[in-house]
């Protein structure tokens, strides 16, 4: 069964601290993996897109890693800011003859406190 | 460039009523999608379209219909609203890899 599991479900950290969010998946065949940020009451916004051959990709204070062998990804946030408070969703894409299917994780709810 | 817009933002329906959720994108994307997001669950694909005149079912299409007469618009129709359709609905569009999401419509069926 194609599944994406994220941990932790929720996380509270102090402003300025770092944190790491985890994503494990069983989706096959794997095409690429994306991390989205979803602010409360808004649609998801893409942070990174990682293909099979990429191990690490950074977008400002966000760094995503991918281990395609163990089917794990992580999102590391450095020097957190209050605006980082949001849900972070891991999405794994499988592609079959050009037809893309997205499997969404349930997200990690991150709260940054001053 | 407004991106993906959705209307209405909020709606309360009675059981058995019908409504159409509107979605418009101004990025000239061929691909458009409708998702629903239930509390504590990942987004589920309802319907998608690869271009004007072409639509296909996603994971959870029952109780919904779509049409795609233009590149810009992809409305989602609920014919006989049921409490199980209480959810937040997101429309998205894409060109190649990245999907761009609208702000969502929060629908409550009572």
């Amino acid at each position: 069964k194609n599944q994406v599991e994220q941990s932790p479900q929720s996380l509270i950290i102090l402003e300025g601290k770092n944190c790491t969010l985890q994503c494990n998946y069983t989706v096959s065949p794997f095409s690429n993996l994306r991390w989205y940020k979803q602010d409360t009451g808004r649609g998801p916004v893409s942070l990174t897109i990682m293909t099979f051959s990429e191990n690490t990709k950074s977008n400002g204070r966000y760094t995503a890693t991918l281990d395609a062998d163990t089917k794990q990804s992580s999102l590391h946030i450095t020097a957190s800011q209050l605006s980082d408070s949001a849900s972070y969703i891991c999405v794994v894409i499988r592609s079959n003859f050009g037809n893309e299917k997205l499997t969404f994780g349930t997200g990690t709810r991150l709260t940054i406190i001053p | 460039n407004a991106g993906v817009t959705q209307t209405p933002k909020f709606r309360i329906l009675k059981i058995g009523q019908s409504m159409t959720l509107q979605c418009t994108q101004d990025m000239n994307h061929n691909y458009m999608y409708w998702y629903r997001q239930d509390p504590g669950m990942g987004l589920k694909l309802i319907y998608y379209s690869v271009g004007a005149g072409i639509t296909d079912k996603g994971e959870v299409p029952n109780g919904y219909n779509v049409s795609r007469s233009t590149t810009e618009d992809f409305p989602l129709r609920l014919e006989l609203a049921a409490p199980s359709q209480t959810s937040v609905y997101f429309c998205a569009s894409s060109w190649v890899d990245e999907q761009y999401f609208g702000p969502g419509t929060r629908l409550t069926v009572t």
Side-chain angles (χ1 to χ4, degrees):
Chain A
K1 188 177 178 184
N2 293 300
Q3 285 187 314
V4 176
E5 294 183 353
Q6 294 187 242
S7 61
Q9 277 192 327
S10 61
L11 182 63
I12 301 173
I13 63 172
L14 288 172
E15 184 181 10
K17 297 296 187 184
N18 305 335
C19 67
T20 301
L21 315 180
Q22 300 289 346
C23 173
N24 296 337
Y25 63 92
T26 59
V27 175
S28 180
F30 176 88
S31 176
N32 60 77
L33 182 146
R34 306 171 192 174
W35 283 93
Y36 284 86
K37 178 185 179 188
Q38 185 177 19
D39 292 313
T40 301
R42 308 290 294 270
V45 175
S46 179
L47 292 174
T48 66
I49 298 174
M50 301 192 72
T51 60
F52 186 88
S53 59
E54 293 175 308
N55 297 120
T56 303
K57 184 176 277 190
S58 291
N59 178 3
R61 294 180 296 103
Y62 300 102
T63 299
T65 66
L66 174 64
D67 186 334
D69 290 332
T70 61
K71 297 188 176 181
Q72 296 179 325
S73 176
S74 67
L75 181 69
H76 185 76
I77 304 175
T78 305
S80 60
Q81 300 176 358
L82 296 178
S83 59
D84 292 331
S85 292
S87 286
Y88 291 83
I89 303 172
C90 176
V91 184
V92 180
I93 293 85
R94 66 188 192 275
S95 184
N96 225 334
F97 303 105
N99 187 11
E100 279 199 346
K101 301 287 186 189
L102 278 67
T103 302
F104 288 78
T106 56
T108 292
R109 179 73 204 169
L110 177 64
T111 303
I112 312 297
I113 56 176
Chain B
N1 198 334
V4 180
T5 57
Q6 294 181 237
T7 57
K9 280 190 166 54
F10 305 94
R11 183 72 187 267
I12 298 175
L13 278 184
K14 292 190 185 306
I15 294 171
Q17 284 186 320
S18 302
M19 78 163 295
T20 300
L21 282 67
Q22 301 291 346
C23 174
T24 299
Q25 54 94 5
D26 61 0
M27 297 174 281
N28 203 32
H29 288 166
N30 281 337
Y31 287 74
M32 295 189 74
Y33 313 81
W34 274 106
Y35 295 92
R36 59 179 287 173
Q37 186 176 38
D38 299 324
M41 305 288 287
L43 276 75
K44 299 289 186 187
L45 181 65
I46 305 171
Y47 270 97
Y48 67 99
S49 169
V50 301
I54 307 169
T55 63
D56 208 348
K57 296 177 181 178
E59 295 176 76
V60 289
N62 291 343
Y64 308 94
N65 277 302
V66 294
S67 59
R68 184 94 182 272
S69 56
T70 67
T71 300
E72 295 78 20
D73 299 308
F74 190 40
L76 178 72
R77 178 90 179 151
L78 283 72
E79 289 295 347
L80 292 170
S84 60
Q85 294 177 305
T86 293
S87 189
V88 181
Y89 292 84
F90 289 100
C91 177
S93 71
S94 70
W95 173 240
V96 180
D97 280 339
E98 188 166 339
Q99 291 196 8
Y100 297 84
F101 287 82
T105 294
R106 183 174 293 276
L107 176 67
T108 302
V109 182
T110 61

